[in-house]
Amino acid sequence: MRLNDNLVETFRILPTQIKALKRLRIETVGDLLFHFPTRYGDMAEVVSISNLKKGDTAVVFGKISGLKTSKAFRKRIPMAEGVVTDSTGKIKIVWFHQAYLAKMMAEGSNVRVEGKVSDKNGQLYFSNPKIENTPDLFTKTKSHSLYPIYPETRGLTSNWIYHKIKMILSIMSKRHFDIIKDPIPENILKTYNLPNLKTSLIYIHTPQQESHAQVARKRFAFEEIFFIQLQRQRMRYEFKESAAFTIDKKMEEVEKFTARFPFILTLAQKKSIEHVMADLRSGHPMSRLLEGDVGSGKTAVAATAVYAVSTSKPFDSAQGRLQTFGNLQTAYMAPTEILAQQHFESFIKYFKHLPINIALITGSGCRKFPSKLNPDGFTDISRSQLLKWVASGEIAVLIGTHALIQKSVKFKHLALVIVDEQHRFGTAQRQKLVNKNEITPHLLSMTATPIPRTLALTLYGDLDLSLIDEMPVGRKKIITEIITPETRGRAYEQIEKELKAGRQLYVICPRIDEPDPTKESAVQAKSVKEEAKRLKKEIFPEYEIGILHGKMRPVEKEKTMLDFSAQGDGKGKKIDILVATSVVEVGVNVENASLIIIEGAERFGLAQLHQLRGRVIRSNHQAYCYVFAESKSSKTTDRLKALTTAKNGFELAEFDLAQRGAGELSGTKQWGLSDLGMEAIKNLKMVEAARQEAMKLIERDPTLSQFPIIKERSESNSSKIHFE
Ligand code: ADP
Ligand code: MG
């Protein structure tokens, strides 16, 4: 058996299992070996069934049989039952309301049951216990009581995976094992007391004791972070080595520009602007992350950077002096069309006193300011015309969505790239924009996602950081309330008062309209379309209600946003209530909208909830956020309560991280980290160690030419190891 062998050719595998493996992206023997358990069950805690007594909370281990579902109490409550048998006896299991549990178990399979022992007419039984599959071949020995639990997916049980991995581990010869080269240098393993790759693989799947599992997981977690760090540190190194336009704008001029803003900059904004100006002046490309809560005023900082760049002339190296024609250019990338459009409009305001051409490019069309006919307004232009003007350097500021990074968009003197809400963009996309020119453009990334320090160090290890850690003066704290189904009515009354006073309301729903096939109809989350109808009919009949979601055509979206847009006091609004999906999450700016309802809040992450809430902290109106939860579980309410108590987004992020258990794959979805990687993120020491080691390595050998395994590994996107 070899690591490269296809599983399908190695084992007999059912078609449903093949599909399941595909979903997990497992094809080869090696892939399976690198599929790690999320946690471990412990047999040491197991009690013999014959020893069970009424009132015990106990764990038993045995074979399950007699599974059936029925209805109890005059057929109103769905229930299921079964019997679990071990070598000493048997005990009945009853589940009320959880009939599906019985359906997930297979007759005759081995299970672990944990719960309280009840008694009815002298007969002991488990009522609503926790139950999970355990490996059939697992036998408890004195020294060995842990069994691994793998994430299950339809068609593939943890048990099956364990079975196959055990086989692989016992069949694979030493020679084959030795082919897998350890990607972590030996000296690093030594420094941090980490086991080598082979030992770690054995430990992680078949730990003899808890410490084995722990140290193996620690090793793989370190490995993941170490390789992310290597990639980032290499990028940082390359960035810093390359040439950039030197933009030396006098601070007095910068201050003249910022004095035109209709507000006074906060100290944090001023500091960030100073950082940016120093970077632009340095001759090396800026690579800076501007992190600040929603509404903290990042756009003003970005606009100031754009000002400095677009009023500077390119240096003509042939002539050895500044060119007299053409401007340095900026590409400003926003995550949605709505936002790109909004930025386009605010930039027109900021720059209309200057002779600077600004253009907008999105999937649905192109615009240019100023228009030839109307010097105060913009005009629609064709894409080919726009591309021509961008290529000739006539357009100084190009704002857009992903459309910006297409190959056909060529700049003449691209000097600055701004990426708004940058967590939405992958590193690869960022690179794409940056690589368009020989002279590396300065890069300013902006994010409102408050992320824990460990995560920032890891994911943004290639960037310098500026924090906007204060809000503009006069902003009132958003009043956030967690609303249960019982208090819904009262919340609507409060909202109505504000609507009457002229304010506007966002209602965020988790879905657009189509039913969620994985949920029973009773627990369907609210949908934009249904909720809009319901609100109009039952709750707010005298107000105008609009809807907004990702499946609408761009022109429709734009019209809705326009109708919802209003002056600070609400003048000009045609819509009072906007029912939307989380598309409004990022950046949308309507000052008069001071109310937000978030339906099905438990479905959103805390950071996302915080962002959504940020929609209503745009002005000095008192803002309200109503968080509607369907679930009453204490974990949910605790989590949501953090929204009302945390002082800022960073605190929330730390809380979110601390609460996240292993096996909740949110890390993968949100940050591209595995569960193990997320475990590492909780450990500042480990993150710092991985970062230090990666930095040392890159300083010593920037191209990693002396470390071919590391080089190959850090250049591949896969987290899996490559074999010869
Ligand atoms: P974000 O950081 O979320 O991108 P924006 O840049 O969109 O925030 O700014 C939010 C709102 O605050 C805008 O209406 C902007 O004009 C306003 N604003 C920005 N800076 C200040 C300030 N220093 N004082 C008052 N209002 C400000
Ligand atoms: Mg913004």
Side-chain angles (χ1 to χ4, degrees):
M1 185 187 294
R2 290 171 155 276
L3 288 168
N4 270 339
D5 289 352
N6 231 307
L7 279 175
V8 186
E9 287 150 23
T10 314
F11 299 112
R12 215 173 298 143
I13 302 183
L14 302 173
T16 50
Q17 290 168 333
I18 295 177
K19 255 197 218 148
L21 286 166
K22 226 186 197 146
R23 262 201 310 277
L24 296 172
R25 297 212 203 116
I26 297 174
E27 275 173 35
T28 64
V29 169
D31 290 345
L32 194 60
L33 208 49
F34 282 89
H35 184 65
F36 298 149
T38 40
R39 60 197 174 87
Y40 301 85
D42 191 353
M43 295 279 296
E45 38 174 9
V46 167
V47 183
S48 298
I49 290 180
S50 61
N51 287 340
L52 291 175
K53 287 188 304 295
K54 179 186 169 185
D56 285 355
T57 297
V59 178
V60 303
F61 183 74
K63 272 203 187 338
I64 184 107
S65 61
L67 287 164
K68 61 179 181 215
T69 57
S70 58
K71 296 256 165 95
F73 303 116
R74 294 205 208 109
K75 307 210 178 235
R76 269 207 251 136
I77 300 175
M79 64 171 283
E81 55 181 71
V83 175
V84 58
T85 311
D86 72 3
S87 58
T88 67
K90 55 174 79 175
I91 180 167
K92 193 169 159 178
I93 306 176
V94 183
W95 293 279
F96 297 104
H97 291 293
Q98 293 179 330
Y100 62 91
L101 279 176
K103 289 183 198 147
M104 277 165 45
M105 297 288 139
E107 275 291 306
S109 61
N110 274 1
V111 292
R112 174 186 181 280
V113 180
E114 176 176 357
K116 196 160 174 185
V117 180
S118 308
D119 173 30
K120 192 179 171 193
N121 307 332
Q123 267 233 317
L124 296 181
Y125 68 99
F126 276 112
S127 166
N128 282 31
K130 271 206 296 205
I131 184 162
E132 71 191 19
N133 284 305
T134 52
D136 293 331
L137 71 169
F138 193 89
T139 39
K140 179 180 162 188
T141 64
K142 241 196 196 131
S143 66
H144 187 187
S145 69
L146 292 181
Y147 60 92
I149 298 167
Y150 298 88
E152 298 192 336
T153 169
R154 204 160 3 106
L156 208 61
T157 60
S158 168
N159 197 0
W160 186 92
I161 297 170
Y162 182 56
H163 205 278
K164 293 293 173 282
I165 288 178
K166 276 281 260 204
M167 272 166 92
I168 295 170
L169 288 176
S170 64
I171 295 171
M172 260 197 359
S173 66
K174 183 176 172 331
R175 197 169 61 82
H176 286 131
F177 242 129
D178 289 341
I179 289 177
I180 324 177
K181 295 209 180 84
D182 198 326
I184 305 183
E186 226 180 289
N187 66 322
I188 295 184
L189 290 178
K190 267 221 184 90
T191 310
Y192 300 101
N193 270 325
L194 298 170
N196 68 25
L197 181 61
K198 181 180 166 185
T199 308
S200 304
L201 280 172
I202 294 171
Y203 276 8
I204 202 161
H205 292 296
T206 56
Q208 300 282 314
Q209 59 203 54
E210 183 140 8
S211 63
H212 286 176
Q214 271 170 6
V215 74
R217 298 182 81 78
K218 191 168 150 198
R219 182 227 137 92
F220 287 115
F222 178 90
E223 185 174 319
E224 183 167 339
I225 303 301
F226 178 61
F227 278 96
I228 295 175
Q229 284 292 348
L230 271 174
Q231 238 179 9
R232 301 297 194 269
Q233 294 308 325
R234 246 183 116 175
M235 271 169 49
R236 184 187 175 86
Y237 191 88
E238 278 165 24
F239 258 138
K240 295 285 170 200
E241 283 300 284
S242 47
F245 290 106
T246 303
I247 293 151
D248 195 0
K249 202 86 207 157
K250 288 207 178 63
M251 267 333 252
E252 299 135 53
E253 283 181 68
V254 171
E255 276 156 22
K256 252 188 229 156
F257 177 77
T258 57
R260 292 177 47 90
F261 288 136
F263 44 76
I264 295 169
L265 291 173
T266 61
L267 206 63
Q269 281 172 315
K270 274 192 197 146
K271 258 195 222 144
S272 302
I273 288 174
E274 275 165 25
H275 290 161
V276 169
M277 292 305 146
D279 287 349
L280 292 177
R281 209 176 288 133
S282 73
H284 295 292
M286 162 165 77
S287 47
R288 182 165 295 279
L289 176 68
L290 182 60
E291 197 175 355
D293 246 343
V294 259
S296 61
K298 294 182 291 294
T299 319
V301 176
T304 311
V306 174
Y307 162 78
V309 167
S310 50
T311 54
S312 298
K313 299 282 174 199
F315 187 77
D316 186 338
S317 46
Q319 303 277 328
R321 59 178 161 80
L322 293 181
Q323 269 182 204
T324 48
F325 60 92
N327 282 337
L328 289 178
Q329 293 170 293
T330 300
Y332 194 126
M333 184 152 64
T336 64
E337 288 200 10
I338 296 178
L339 256 178
Q341 174 70 34
Q342 264 193 5
H343 284 320
F344 179 61
E345 281 159 21
S346 29
F347 272 55
I348 291 175
K349 278 187 219 142
Y350 295 147
F351 290 100
K352 62 174 180 246
H353 64 296
L354 296 165
I356 287 173
N357 294 328
I358 304 173
L360 174 73
I361 180 171
T362 66
S364 48
C366 301
R367 283 174 178 170
K368 173 180 170 283
F369 169 88
S371 142
K372 276 217 180 77
L373 297 174
N374 168 16
D376 290 331
F378 61 78
T379 178
D380 287 330
I381 57 172
S382 73
R383 193 183 146 80
S384 58
Q385 182 63 67
L386 175 127
L387 293 183
K388 237 185 259 163
W389 279 336
V390 172
S392 70
E394 211 160 311
I395 299 226
V397 185
L398 182 60
I399 298 170
T401 51
H402 285 73
L404 259 180
I405 51 174
Q406 285 156 4
K407 267 214 194 78
S408 52
V409 185
K410 293 212 167 59
F411 292 84
K412 174 124 177 147
H413 295 298
L414 182 61
L416 172 63
V417 171
I418 297 180
V419 189
D420 198 2
E421 305 297 348
Q422 76 100 43
H423 62 288
R424 297 257 151 163
F425 294 93
T427 311
Q429 286 165 306
R430 216 162 71 199
Q431 281 305 86
K432 234 177 178 174
L433 253 174
V434 163
N435 287 340
K436 273 178 176 276
N437 264 41
E438 292 148 39
I439 298 186
T440 308
H442 297 285
L443 174 71
L444 181 64
S445 295
M446 302 196 287
T447 181
T449 305
I451 56 174
R453 203 163 102 79
T454 47
L455 203 53
L457 279 176
T458 304
L459 297 176
Y460 308 136
D462 54 325
L463 303 173
D464 297 312
L465 190 66
S466 290
L467 276 185
I468 306 194
D469 51 6
E470 65 180 319
M471 285 299 212
V473 283
R475 291 280 161 82
K476 298 192 184 76
K477 195 172 181 308
I478 302 176
I479 297 178
T480 301
E481 284 188 50
I482 315 293
I483 307 292
T484 57
E486 293 82 54
T487 50
R488 197 175 262 269
R490 198 172 49 80
Y492 283 136
E493 281 166 28
Q494 286 175 11
I495 290 169
E496 165 117 50
K497 267 190 217 140
E498 291 291 315
L499 287 173
K500 255 203 189 109
R503 303 286 85 79
Q504 287 162 285
L505 163 72
Y506 293 102
V507 179
I508 308 299
C509 298
R511 297 186 306 117
I512 300 174
D513 59 351
E514 72 277 36
D516 184 343
T518 64
K519 295 273 153 41
E520 286 171 25
S521 58
V523 285
Q524 282 294 348
K526 291 205 180 257
S527 79
V528 167
K529 291 183 184 167
E530 288 303 312
E531 185 63 5
K533 272 188 219 151
R534 188 185 77 87
L535 289 174
K536 184 75 195 172
K537 205 166 138 214
E538 297 172 18
I539 316 283
F540 300 122
E542 60 269 48
Y543 295 95
E544 277 311 310
I545 300 184
I547 62 172
L548 186 71
H549 56 76
K551 286 206 178 139
M552 281 159 63
R553 285 188 297 132
V555 276
E556 292 173 328
K557 277 197 234 171
E558 198 184 315
K559 169 143 193 344
T560 307
M561 272 324 289
L562 215 61
D563 287 348
F564 190 63
S565 296
Q567 308 288 315
D569 57 357
K571 266 200 209 96
K573 67 174 165 99
K574 292 200 189 121
I575 293 176
D576 303 294
I577 301 172
L578 185 63
V579 186
T581 50
S582 51
V583 292
V584 300
E585 176 192 340
V586 269
V588 172
N589 191 4
V590 177
E591 288 185 10
N592 185 54
S594 60
L595 305 158
I596 186 166
I597 289 178
I598 304 170
E599 293 281 358
E602 55 268 70
R603 284 156 206 262
F604 297 103
L606 282 180
Q608 206 184 359
L609 288 170
H610 181 69
Q611 285 243 328
L612 284 167
R613 174 170 66 173
R615 292 310 104 224
V616 295
I617 190 162
R618 296 276 142 175
S619 72
N620 295 338
H621 296 303
Q622 174 61 54
Y624 298 88
C625 171
Y626 299 92
V627 180
F628 285 23
E630 289 146 32
S631 153
K632 280 186 205 161
S633 92
S634 65
K635 195 171 170 199
T636 304
T637 19
D638 271 3
R639 204 171 70 98
L640 293 178
K641 256 193 208 127
L643 278 172
T644 61
T645 51
K647 274 200 286 304
N648 54 41
F650 295 98
E651 250 187 58
L652 258 183
E654 300 286 350
F655 181 82
D656 216 3
L657 180 64
Q659 262 219 343
R660 235 189 285 254
E664 291 172 35
L665 286 162
S666 35
T668 314
K669 266 192 270 156
Q670 222 172 337
W671 314 112
L673 291 174
S674 74
D675 279 4
L676 272 182
M678 283 311 287
E679 275 175 39
I681 290 298
K682 292 185 182 180
N683 184 341
L684 181 63
K685 269 205 191 117
M686 185 191 284
V687 169
E688 276 174 345
R691 182 176 159 86
Q692 286 307 320
E693 294 300 335
M695 276 174 147
K696 264 198 258 171
L697 211 66
I698 296 295
E699 257 161 47
R700 207 172 345 138
D701 182 4
T703 59
L704 293 173
S705 57
Q706 293 161 44
F707 302 91
I709 312 169
I710 297 182
K711 186 176 159 78
E712 187 200 343
R713 172 72 186 280
S714 67
E715 281 168 4
S716 78
N717 280 327
S718 157
S719 62
K720 291 191 178 135
I721 293 192
H722 289 256
F723 313 108
E724 340 193 299

